[in-house]
């Protein structure tokens, strides 16, 4: 059974997230379970999610799911903008709702880029991480 598409191709949050993710060495995008997933060999970022026990895609339609550094995870969980996503949470992933970012002028895209970078470094092959570091 195919999953319905749970994103709008013209979504400005997704457009900006694509720029960040696809600028990384070897990064590509695929739709899995109805959502954009950014990956090398493994997924490092997902656009959109749900929380455990709630399968309604709407509340977190514009969220970013990443796997942060373990050393940063506890601090991020103290920030009310971050929640543990359904399905991925038990594996250390966290979700940031981009619509509810409390930055003065909207989404803090530098913070998003840092989160994506950390997740990429945890999942990408060593060769690609070296290529990123050489830039």
């Amino acid at each position: 059974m195919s999953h319905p598409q749970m994103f709008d191709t013209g979504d400005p949050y997704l457009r900006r997230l694509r720029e960040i993710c696809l600028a990384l060495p070897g990064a590509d995008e695929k739709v899995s379970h109805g959502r954009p997933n950014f990956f090398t060999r493994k997924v490092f970022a997902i656009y959109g999610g749900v929380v455990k026990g709630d399968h309604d895609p709407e509340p977190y339609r514009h969220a970013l799911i990443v796997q942060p550094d373990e050393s940063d995870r506890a601090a991020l969980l103290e920030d009310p903008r971050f929640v543990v996503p359904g399905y991925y949470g038990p594996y250390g992933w966290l979700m940031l709702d981009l619509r509810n970012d409390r930055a003065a002028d909207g989404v803090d895209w530098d913070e998003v880029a840092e989160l994506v970078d950390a997740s990429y470094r945890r999942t990408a092959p060593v060769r690609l991480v070296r290529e990123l570091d050489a830039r």
Side-chain angles (χ1 to χ4, degrees):
M1 177 171 94
S2 178
H3 290 273
Q5 180 173 308
M6 292 187 254
F7 64 96
D8 175 11
T9 55
D11 180 338
Y13 296 107
L14 177 56
R15 186 175 326 120
R16 182 68 182 109
L17 183 61
R18 272 189 180 121
E19 291 173 6
I20 292 167
C21 292
L22 297 178
L24 296 168
D28 205 351
E29 178 181 354
K30 64 183 172 186
V31 174
S32 178
H33 296 86
R35 301 181 189 286
N37 284 245
F38 300 94
F39 69 99
T40 57
R41 284 190 188 146
K42 296 180 181 178
V43 171
F44 64 87
I46 302 164
Y47 185 66
V50 297
V51 292
K52 186 175 181 179
D54 184 359
H55 299 283
D56 180 3
E58 187 52 39
Y60 293 100
R61 179 177 298 278
H62 303 281
L64 166 66
I65 301 175
V66 291
Q67 189 176 49
D69 282 332
E70 288 183 34
S71 61
D72 295 334
R73 192 170 192 279
L76 292 173
L77 281 171
E78 290 180 15
D79 184 329
R81 298 175 304 146
F82 289 87
V83 296
V84 176
Y87 305 108
Y88 304 97
Y91 304 101
W93 295 71
L94 293 179
M95 182 164 59
L96 169 66
D97 187 351
L98 300 175
R99 293 182 299 187
N100 291 327
D101 192 302
R102 291 188 174 84
D105 58 349
V107 176
D108 181 347
W109 291 107
D110 289 335
E111 177 185 39
V112 169
E114 288 175 15
L115 292 165
V116 167
D117 180 83
S119 190
Y120 175 89
R121 289 173 183 279
R122 289 181 56 91
T123 61
V126 172
R127 171 185 61 81
L128 294 177
V129 174
R130 275 194 220 120
E131 185 178 330
L132 178 61
D133 288 340
R135 289 183 177 181

Coordinates of all heavy atoms in Angstrom, one line a residue, residues 10-39:
G10 N 5.3 23.1 -3.0 CA 5.7 24.5 -3.0 C 5.9 25.0 -1.6 O 6.1 26.3 -1.5
D11 N 5.9 24.2 -0.6 CA 6.1 24.6 0.8 C 7.4 25.4 0.9 O 8.5 24.9 0.7 CB 6.1 23.4 1.6 CG 6.3 23.7 3.1 OD1 6.8 24.7 3.5 OD2 5.9 22.8 3.9
P12 N 7.4 26.7 1.4 CA 8.6 27.5 1.5 C 9.6 26.9 2.6 O 10.8 27.1 2.4 CB 8.1 28.9 1.9 CG 6.8 28.7 2.4 CD 6.2 27.5 1.7
Y13 N 9.1 26.3 3.6 CA 9.9 25.6 4.6 C 10.7 24.5 4.0 O 11.9 24.3 4.2 CB 9.1 25.1 5.8 CG 8.4 26.1 6.6 CD1 7.0 26.3 6.6 CD2 9.1 27.0 7.5 CE1 6.4 27.2 7.3 CE2 8.5 27.9 8.3 CZ 7.1 28.0 8.2 OH 6.4 28.9 9.0
L14 N 10.0 23.7 3.2 CA 10.6 22.5 2.6 C 11.6 23.0 1.5 O 12.7 22.5 1.4 CB 9.6 21.7 1.9 CG 10.1 20.5 1.1 CD1 11.0 19.6 1.9 CD2 8.9 19.7 0.5
R15 N 11.3 24.1 0.8 CA 12.2 24.6 -0.2 C 13.6 25.0 0.5 O 14.6 24.6 0.0 CB 11.6 25.8 -0.9 CG 12.4 26.3 -2.0 CD 11.8 27.5 -2.8 NE 10.3 27.3 -2.9 CZ 9.5 28.2 -2.4 NH1 9.9 29.3 -1.8 NH2 8.2 28.0 -2.5
R16 N 13.5 25.7 1.6 CA 14.7 26.1 2.3 C 15.5 24.9 2.9 O 16.7 24.9 2.8 CB 14.4 27.2 3.4 CG 15.6 27.7 4.1 CD 16.5 28.6 3.2 NE 17.6 29.0 3.9 CZ 18.9 28.6 3.7 NH1 19.1 27.7 2.8 NH2 19.9 29.0 4.4
L17 N 14.7 24.0 3.5 CA 15.4 22.8 4.0 C 16.1 22.0 2.9 O 17.2 21.5 3.1 CB 14.3 21.9 4.7 CG 14.9 20.7 5.4 CD1 15.9 21.1 6.5 CD2 13.7 19.9 6.0
R18 N 15.5 21.9 1.8 CA 16.1 21.2 0.6 C 17.5 21.9 0.3 O 18.4 21.2 0.0 CB 15.2 21.3 -0.6 CG 14.3 20.2 -0.7 CD 13.6 20.2 -2.1 NE 12.6 19.2 -2.2 CZ 11.3 19.3 -2.4 NH1 10.8 20.5 -2.6 NH2 10.5 18.3 -2.4
E19 N 17.5 23.2 0.3 CA 18.8 23.9 0.0 C 19.8 23.5 1.0 O 21.0 23.3 0.6 CB 18.5 25.4 0.0 CG 17.7 26.0 -1.1 CD 17.4 27.4 -0.9 OE1 17.9 28.1 0.1 OE2 16.6 28.0 -1.7
I20 N 19.5 23.4 2.2 CA 20.4 23.1 3.3 C 20.9 21.6 3.1 O 22.1 21.3 3.1 CB 19.8 23.3 4.7 CG1 19.6 24.8 4.9 CG2 20.7 22.7 5.8 CD1 18.8 25.2 6.1
C21 N 19.9 20.7 3.0 CA 20.3 19.3 3.0 C 21.0 18.9 1.7 O 22.0 18.2 1.8 CB 19.0 18.5 3.1 SG 18.2 18.6 4.7
L22 N 20.5 19.4 0.6 CA 21.1 18.9 -0.7 C 22.4 19.6 -1.0 O 23.1 19.2 -2.0 CB 20.1 19.1 -1.8 CG 18.8 18.3 -1.7 CD1 17.8 18.6 -2.8 CD2 19.1 16.8 -1.6
A23 N 22.8 20.6 -0.2 CA 24.2 21.2 -0.4 C 25.2 20.3 0.3 O 26.4 20.5 0.0 CB 24.2 22.5 0.3
L24 N 24.9 19.3 1.0 CA 25.8 18.4 1.7 C 26.3 17.3 0.7 O 25.6 16.9 -0.2 CB 25.2 17.7 2.9 CG 24.8 18.7 4.0 CD1 23.9 18.1 5.0 CD2 26.0 19.3 4.7
P25 N 27.6 16.9 0.8 CA 28.2 16.0 -0.1 C 27.4 14.6 -0.1 O 27.0 14.1 0.9 CB 29.6 15.7 0.5 CG 29.9 16.9 1.3 CD 28.6 17.3 1.9
G26 N 27.0 14.2 -1.4 CA 26.4 12.9 -1.6 C 24.9 12.9 -1.1 O 24.3 11.8 -1.1
A27 N 24.4 14.0 -0.7 CA 23.0 14.0 -0.2 C 22.0 13.9 -1.4 O 22.2 14.5 -2.5 CB 22.7 15.3 0.6
D28 N 20.9 13.3 -1.1 CA 19.8 13.1 -2.1 C 18.5 13.1 -1.3 O 18.5 13.1 -0.1 CB 20.0 11.8 -2.9 CG 19.3 11.9 -4.2 OD1 18.6 12.9 -4.5 OD2 19.5 10.9 -5.0
E29 N 17.4 13.2 -2.0 CA 16.1 13.2 -1.4 C 15.2 12.1 -2.0 O 15.3 11.8 -3.2 CB 15.4 14.5 -1.7 CG 14.0 14.7 -1.2 CD 13.4 16.0 -1.5 OE1 14.0 16.9 -2.1 OE2 12.2 16.1 -1.2
K30 N 14.4 11.5 -1.2 CA 13.4 10.5 -1.6 C 12.2 10.7 -0.8 O 12.3 11.2 0.4 CB 14.0 9.1 -1.5 CG 14.2 8.7 0.0 CD 14.8 7.3 0.1 CE 15.2 7.0 1.5 NZ 15.9 5.7 1.6
V31 N 11.1 10.3 -1.3 CA 9.8 10.3 -0.5 C 9.6 8.9 0.1 O 9.6 7.9 -0.7 CB 8.6 10.8 -1.4 CG1 7.3 10.7 -0.6 CG2 8.8 12.2 -1.9
S32 N 9.5 8.9 1.4 CA 9.3 7.6 2.1 C 8.1 7.8 3.1 O 8.1 8.8 3.8 CB 10.5 7.2 2.8 OG 10.3 6.0 3.5
H33 N 7.2 6.9 3.1 CA 6.0 7.0 3.9 C 5.3 8.4 3.8 O 4.8 9.0 4.7 CB 6.4 6.8 5.4 CG 6.9 5.4 5.6 ND1 8.2 5.0 5.4 CD2 6.2 4.2 5.9 CE1 8.4 3.7 5.6 NE2 7.2 3.2 6.0
G34 N 5.4 8.9 2.5 CA 4.6 10.2 2.2 C 5.4 11.4 2.6 O 4.8 12.5 2.4
R35 N 6.6 11.3 3.1 CA 7.4 12.5 3.5 C 8.7 12.6 2.8 O 9.4 11.6 2.6 CB 7.6 12.5 5.0 CG 6.3 12.4 5.8 CD 6.5 12.4 7.3 NE 5.3 12.1 8.0 CZ 4.3 13.0 8.2 NH1 4.4 14.2 7.7 NH2 3.3 12.7 9.0
P36 N 9.2 13.8 2.6 CA 10.6 14.0 2.1 C 11.6 13.5 3.1 O 11.6 13.9 4.3 CB 10.7 15.5 1.9 CG 9.3 16.0 1.8 CD 8.5 15.1 2.7
N37 N 12.5 12.6 2.7 CA 13.6 12.1 3.5 C 14.9 12.5 2.8 O 15.1 12.3 1.6 CB 13.6 10.6 3.6 CG 12.5 10.1 4.6 OD1 12.8 9.6 5.6 ND2 11.3 10.3 4.2
F38 N 15.9 13.0 3.5 CA 17.2 13.4 3.0 C 18.2 12.4 3.5 O 18.2 12.1 4.7 CB 17.5 14.8 3.4 CG 16.5 15.8 2.9 CD1 15.4 16.2 3.7 CD2 16.6 16.3 1.6 CE1 14.5 17.1 3.2 CE2 15.7 17.2 1.1 CZ 14.6 17.6 1.9
F39 N 19.1 11.9 2.6 CA 19.9 10.7 2.9 C 21.2 10.8 2.1 O 21.3 11.4 1.1 CB 19.1 9.4 2.7 CG 18.9 9.2 1.2 CD1 19.8 8.3 0.5 CD2 17.9 9.8 0.5 CE1 19.6 8.0 -0.8 CE2 17.7 9.5 -0.9 CZ 18.6 8.7 -1.5

